[in-house]
Amino acid sequence: MTNESAVTTVVDGRAFLECPRWRDGRLWVSDLYAHEVLSIGSGDDARVELSIDDQPSGLGWLPDGRMLIVSMVDGKILVRENADDPASAAVHADVSALATGKLNDMTVDEQGHAFISTFGFEFRSRSYVESAVLIHVAPDGTAEVAANDLLFPNGSVILGMPDDEVRTFVVAESMGNRLTAFDLDQAGKLTGRRVWAAFGPEVPRSSVRDAMAASQVAPDGICLGDDGTIWVADALHQRVIRVAEGGEILDEKRFGTGVFACAVGGANGDVLYGCAAPSSSEHQRRDTRDASLLAVSI
């Protein structure tokens, strides 16, 4: 494993950044407690792409280029209808009746199938770790539960080529000490559930604090690496690790602060971005502006 590259600050003075995505030569990211979706180009070229009343989280794009945004608390998936208007959000799907707790991260495939993770419980240190669902929203906005009994499902990725009949969908279980995989077909159905990478034995569900104390890795946001690997933001250890199927850690980048989501981007695809903050606690972050977007060469 290597960790030789220097960490640089791309943007600072933010509330809490989540769900970074590289698209069209820019890094797109949600700031939960500022209620904004940002895109960041070279240098300090940061602009507000969308403002909403709720907390934005997961991001993705429909085949026609319209952006989808998770609205965490009210349980809706929004669509930006007008790229020139930062207030132009309509409802693509209302999944509040299916959700277990708040909505979380989201992955959207090339056909417009969206997969949204949910909390499962109110996230506090003494909370019992209750299971949560993963929700599938079809391109036309119809929604269903795609998988259940997940332990705080979070970031997700899709392995394989867009025209493959079956690909592999992988979701991080932040309270499960593992990444979990499914077979994903062209209709957006998930089957064949299995563990893709286990970082240790099962952890207790008696409380978030107990689960975290027993976890070797707390997989939060994730993104694709090379050769079928996955970069994993480890919410426990101020690092992002590159993991192979089975759980072997091949690389590690340390950030010196909490890092909760990651994305690979840059003009040459050789930059690893990390959404960083002193902690992920809502009551600590909501009224502060000490979160940042960091970057390191890979």
Side-chain angles (χ1 to χ4, degrees):
M1 293 188 294
T2 61
N3 188 37
E4 299 174 354
S5 301
V7 175
T8 61
T9 299
V10 180
V11 169
D12 59 10
R14 302 304 307 185
F16 189 75
L17 299 177
E18 265 282 17
C19 309
R21 309 283 187 262
W22 181 263
R23 182 179 172 87
D24 296 334
R26 301 178 70 84
L27 193 285
W28 300 66
V29 65
S30 292
D31 191 336
L32 270 64
Y33 307 126
H35 310 286
E36 295 175 341
V37 176
L38 310 172
S39 76
I40 303 160
S42 58
D44 58 355
D45 171 25
R47 67 188 184 215
V48 176
E49 297 284 351
L50 188 71
S51 298
I52 66 173
D53 293 333
D54 205 323
Q55 297 171 11
S57 186
L59 305 173
W61 284 263
L62 292 169
D64 61 11
R66 290 179 297 158
M67 181 171 61
L68 296 181
I69 309 97
V70 168
S71 185
M72 293 182 69
V73 180
D74 66 7
K76 295 176 182 177
I77 311 303
L78 306 179
V79 57
R80 187 179 68 161
E81 298 287 5
N82 183 355
D84 296 322
D85 181 0
S88 64
V91 176
H92 177 64
D94 186 339
V95 300
S96 57
L98 300 175
T100 46
K102 293 178 183 177
L103 304 186
N104 201 353
D105 210 335
M106 174 175 66
T107 289
V108 183
D109 74 6
E110 295 80 4
Q111 298 181 62
H113 292 283
F115 299 89
I116 302 99
S117 52
T118 64
F119 277 37
F121 57 93
E122 190 65 30
F123 188 74
R124 295 190 176 94
S125 63
R126 296 183 182 274
S127 297
Y128 179 77
V129 180
E130 299 181 55
S131 61
V133 301
L134 183 75
I135 297 170
H136 168 230
V137 174
D140 65 1
T142 58
E144 62 182 354
V145 172
N148 53 31
D149 198 27
L150 294 162
L151 301 181
F152 206 88
N154 213 319
S156 56
V157 296
I158 299 172
L159 297 165
M161 301 302 293
D163 57 353
D164 290 345
E165 184 176 343
V166 177
R167 294 194 283 173
T168 299
F169 179 91
V170 180
V171 61
E173 291 190 74
S174 296
M175 297 292 130
N177 203 28
R178 65 187 174 224
L179 305 180
T180 295
F182 299 84
D183 293 328
L184 169 64
D185 68 18
Q186 290 289 328
K189 299 295 184 182
L190 298 181
T191 57
R193 178 175 179 162
R194 58 199 180 274
V195 174
W196 194 86
F199 301 109
E202 293 279 341
V203 298
R205 298 174 62 168
S206 48
S207 70
V208 169
R209 182 173 55 189
D210 293 343
M212 291 292 94
S215 297
Q216 284 72 46
V217 175
D220 199 323
I222 64 178
C223 66
L224 293 174
D226 55 8
D227 299 324
T229 63
I230 297 174
W231 287 101
V232 177
D234 179 0
L236 284 176
H237 300 110
Q238 302 185 345
R239 62 179 182 167
V240 178
I241 53 177
R242 188 166 66 89
V243 179
E245 185 173 7
E248 181 183 1
I249 297 174
L250 303 174
D251 200 354
E252 175 187 87
K253 300 295 182 183
R254 291 199 167 270
F255 284 78
T257 185
V259 59
F260 304 98
C262 56
V264 171
N268 300 312
D270 59 356
V271 179
L272 179 67
Y273 295 95
C275 293
S279 76
S280 61
S281 168
E282 179 173 349
H283 80 270
Q284 293 176 357
R285 302 273 72 78
R286 178 177 291 279
D287 299 317
T288 61
R289 293 297 181 267
D290 52 5
S292 58
L293 179 70
L294 305 179
V296 63
S297 296
I298 54 175

